């Protein structure tokens, strides 16, 4: 195969194959099943530009993006003012990365510095990096930080941490020989933590995956009493109303920033964030933008403390993350600046009010939402019948609702319902009517167990 920009000559390839004892490039792929190595691909004929655009439009029209929306499970639809995409999508900002010649990109660095300042103010902690890939990988990086800092090899994760986040944490930590123990819920929030003097960190999500509020102060105190770090996995919008991690003594705050001003966009892309106490700075992964002065005494910005990073320390780096999610983090920064502190609180308060109005309306209609613990934006609704079938039936009626609750939570057939400040009374009526129509009502006595 001729590869136009391939840097290696045939002689280079021959010498490399000889060094590793392989007869050909193809031999390197012998472990792959033959049917996967060069499969027949049934591609339709090519199209000209006009035909291709029309084809793409017809595919996009199959998406049902309008209608009452109660989907949650980590991603929600909040109001984003027009100024946010208008500013964030200026061509000079449209990059996914921190610049590779950073000091000549003062605008990008200043925007990132403002993002870091915003995250420190929201979380009540000392140092933010320039953002992470997503909430799940940020949580795994926090667990690794705890292992490095304490030199211990066990991590305790609450079952209230999103199941997909827990899966990513396991992917990162298992190959390193770190033991992961799951702390159960009782019934909707984290009960006791299986702690000991070998635990490096405790990971708890606030609000938890089911939507309910954890006792973060109690759990943090327990973690610290065992000599472990407390990692708070937080919904950043909730911090406009709830106590920030720094207030209850958490050592690390991580999470996904979608609710600060990224549209759902079928699940992403969004950005992860990580903020730590200053004592943990040397173990901190990712890029950090610092403020300084240039030779003329003018305010300037730089990438700082890079000796921790992969491109300098190689295998001894604190992490292999070598960039950030620049554009989506910038979009959140613009959005929070546009809303201001009061606007952000109004969005959060509107979300709480609408979620509770939904729960009350369902209760009045004879459903049995689980409201025994305090909740922020979403809660569990037990349903009659498989949750995924209920969700599909609702979607057929133009109502987007019902993230299935996994079996591991022991709640039977149940869905998550989320509401935000954008949900109207008419939307709630439409959901209740649709739930009735699909036969999702589950008697209260059964629902509450």
């Amino acid at each position: 195969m001729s590869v136009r920009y391939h840097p290696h000559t045939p002689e280079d390839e021959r010498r490399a194959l000889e060094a590793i004892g392989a007869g050909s490039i193809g031999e390197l792929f012998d472990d792959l099943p033959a049917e996967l190595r060069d499969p027949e691909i049934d591609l339709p004929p090519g199209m000209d530009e006009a035909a291709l655009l029309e084809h793409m439009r017809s595919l996009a029209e199959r998406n049902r993006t309008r209608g009452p929306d109660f989907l949650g499970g980590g991603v929600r639809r909040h109001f984003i003012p027009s100024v946010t995409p208008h500013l964030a999508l200026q061509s000079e900002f449209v990059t996914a990365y921190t610049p590779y010649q950073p000091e000549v990109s003062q605008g990008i660095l200043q925007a990132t510095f403002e993002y870091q300042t915003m995250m420190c103010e929201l979380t009540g902690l000392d140092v933010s990096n320039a953002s992470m890939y997503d909430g799940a990988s940020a949580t795994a990086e926090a667990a690794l930080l705890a292992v490095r800092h304490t030199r211990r090899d066990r991590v305790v994760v609450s079952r209230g941490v999103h199941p997909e986040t827990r899966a990513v944490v396991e992917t990162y930590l298992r190959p390193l020989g770190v033991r992961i123990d799951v702390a159960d819920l009782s019934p909707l929030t984290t009960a006791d933590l299986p702690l000991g003097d070998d635990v490096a960190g405790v990971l708890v999500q606030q609000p938890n995956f089911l939507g309910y509020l954890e006792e973060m102060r109690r759990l943090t105190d327990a973690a610290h009493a065992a000599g472990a770090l407390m990692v708070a996995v937080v919904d950043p919008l909730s911090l406009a109303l709830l106590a920030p991690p720094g207030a209850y003594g958490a050592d690390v705050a991580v999470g996904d920033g979608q609710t600060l001003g990224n549209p759902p966009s079928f699940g992403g892309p969004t950005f992860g964030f990580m903020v730590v106490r200053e004592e943990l700075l040397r173990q901190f992964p990712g890029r950090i933008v610092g403020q300084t002065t240039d030779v003329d005494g003018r305010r300037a910005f730089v990438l700082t403390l890079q000796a921790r990073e992969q491109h300098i320390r190689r295998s001894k780096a604190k992490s292999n993350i070598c960039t950030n999610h620049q554009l989506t983090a910038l979009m959140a920064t613009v959005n929070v600046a546009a809303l201001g502190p009061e606007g952000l609180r109004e969005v959060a308060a509107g979300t709480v009010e609408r979620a509770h109005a939904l729960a009350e309306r369902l209760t009045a209609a004879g459903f049995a939402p689980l409201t025994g613990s305090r909740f922020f934006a979403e809660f569990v609704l037990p349903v009659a019948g498989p949750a995924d079938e209920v969700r599909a039936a609702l979607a057929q009626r133009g109502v987007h609702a019902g993230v299935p609750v996994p079996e591991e939570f022991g709640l039977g057939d149940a869905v998550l319902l989320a509401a935000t400040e954008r949900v109207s009374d008419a939307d709630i009526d439409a959901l209740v009517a649709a739930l009735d129509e699909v036969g999702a009502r589950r008697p209260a006595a059964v629902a509450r167990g």
Side-chain angles (χ1 to χ4, degrees):
M1 181 175 67
S2 172
V3 181
R4 187 174 179 185
Y5 298 107
H6 198 302
H8 302 125
T9 66
E11 176 60 17
D12 292 335
E13 292 181 5
R14 187 195 64 75
R15 291 171 53 204
L17 291 170
E18 185 177 290
I20 61 176
S24 67
I25 297 290
E27 194 175 306
L28 302 179
F29 300 93
D30 279 353
D31 289 338
L32 296 176
E35 62 271 23
L36 298 180
R37 286 160 56 184
D38 189 18
E40 190 74 27
I41 301 176
D42 182 20
L43 292 176
M47 301 179 188
D48 59 31
E49 181 177 353
L52 179 61
L53 288 173
E54 186 57 35
H55 176 64
M56 298 297 287
R57 287 191 191 97
S58 69
L59 292 178
E61 287 170 356
R62 293 164 62 181
N63 293 323
R64 298 176 181 174
T65 57
R66 300 186 63 80
D69 189 339
F70 299 89
L71 293 174
V75 176
R76 301 192 302 272
R77 192 180 301 278
H78 289 282
F79 174 68
I80 299 175
S82 299
V83 67
T84 297
H86 176 76
L87 290 178
L89 296 179
Q90 298 293 307
S91 60
E92 55 269 40
F93 289 136
V94 181
T95 173
Y97 306 107
T98 42
Y100 281 94
Q101 292 180 311
E103 281 68 36
V104 299
S105 304
Q106 287 294 300
I108 288 282
L109 291 189
Q110 180 171 357
T112 307
F113 185 81
E114 301 297 346
Y115 159 81
Q116 294 174 178
T117 303
M118 176 186 80
M119 296 311 301
C120 288
E121 291 179 349
L122 272 175
T123 59
L125 290 169
D126 302 320
V127 190
S128 167
N129 63 17
S131 76
M132 309 287 284
Y133 295 143
D134 52 43
S137 59
T139 305
E141 291 279 6
L144 290 172
L145 181 153
V147 169
R148 291 194 300 269
H149 180 74
T150 62
R151 299 179 185 272
R152 297 176 176 182
D153 59 1
R154 185 160 76 94
V155 170
V156 173
V157 187
S158 163
R159 195 175 298 281
V161 174
H162 196 303
E164 294 171 2
T165 299
R166 278 187 275 129
V168 172
V169 170
E170 184 161 337
T171 298
Y172 273 59
L173 268 60
R174 288 285 187 208
L176 301 177
V178 178
R179 175 179 158 189
I180 302 171
D181 289 333
V182 175
D184 275 323
L185 306 184
S186 179
L188 301 174
T189 57
T190 306
D192 297 327
L193 298 168
L195 295 171
D197 59 10
D198 58 343
V199 175
V202 174
L203 281 59
V204 181
Q205 182 172 320
Q206 175 77 323
N208 67 24
F209 171 69
L210 300 177
Y212 301 98
L213 301 187
E214 299 280 2
E215 296 180 64
M216 298 301 281
R217 170 69 74 179
R218 174 179 65 82
L219 297 169
T220 300
D221 289 346
H224 287 169
L229 297 186
M230 179 63 174
V231 177
V233 186
V234 293
D235 172 352
L237 177 63
S238 75
L239 300 180
L241 296 178
L242 303 178
Y248 47 79
D251 303 285
V252 184
V254 293
D256 197 286
Q258 185 268 329
T259 57
L260 288 183
N262 290 173
S265 299
F266 304 100
T270 63
F271 67 95
F273 61 87
M274 180 184 283
V275 196
V276 300
R277 288 190 292 106
E278 187 170 0
E279 300 93 293
L280 301 172
L281 183 58
R282 295 287 175 180
Q283 298 293 340
F284 201 23
R287 299 282 166 85
I288 301 173
V289 175
Q291 180 176 265
T292 185
T293 55
D294 66 11
V295 293
D296 297 319
R298 296 174 300 185
R299 186 190 191 204
F301 300 91
V302 296
L303 289 185
T304 191
L305 294 170
Q306 294 183 70
R308 305 163 295 112
E309 294 193 69
Q310 172 260 359
H311 64 286
I312 291 179
R313 295 272 289 174
R314 303 290 180 179
S315 61
K316 294 181 180 178
K318 303 307 178 190
S319 165
N320 281 321
I321 182 171
C322 58
T323 184
N324 69 325
H325 270 195
Q326 183 70 47
L327 180 59
T328 44
L330 173 67
M331 193 168 183
T333 309
V334 173
N335 193 61
V336 172
L339 292 172
E342 189 59 33
L344 198 65
R345 277 192 290 272
E346 287 178 3
V347 172
T351 295
V352 173
E353 190 276 327
R354 290 285 80 192
H356 285 72
L358 171 61
E360 291 169 7
R361 177 74 174 82
L362 287 165
T363 302
F367 291 88
L370 302 189
T371 56
S373 292
R374 296 183 302 154
F375 57 94
F376 177 71
E378 51 196 307
F379 54 84
V380 174
L381 178 70
V383 292
D388 54 350
E389 293 180 13
V390 170
R391 179 175 61 175
L394 293 174
Q396 288 177 349
R397 287 158 178 78
V399 177
H400 307 294
V403 174
V405 175
E407 288 184 15
E408 65 172 293
F409 291 93
L411 298 172
D413 294 320
V415 296
L416 291 178
L417 292 178
T420 71
E421 81 288 352
R422 295 183 56 172
V423 167
S424 68
D425 289 341
D427 291 337
I428 293 176
D429 289 343
L431 171 63
V432 173
L435 285 167
D436 258 334
E437 195 174 328
V438 303
R441 188 191 305 274
R442 185 165 147 192
V446 175
R448 293 180 187 283

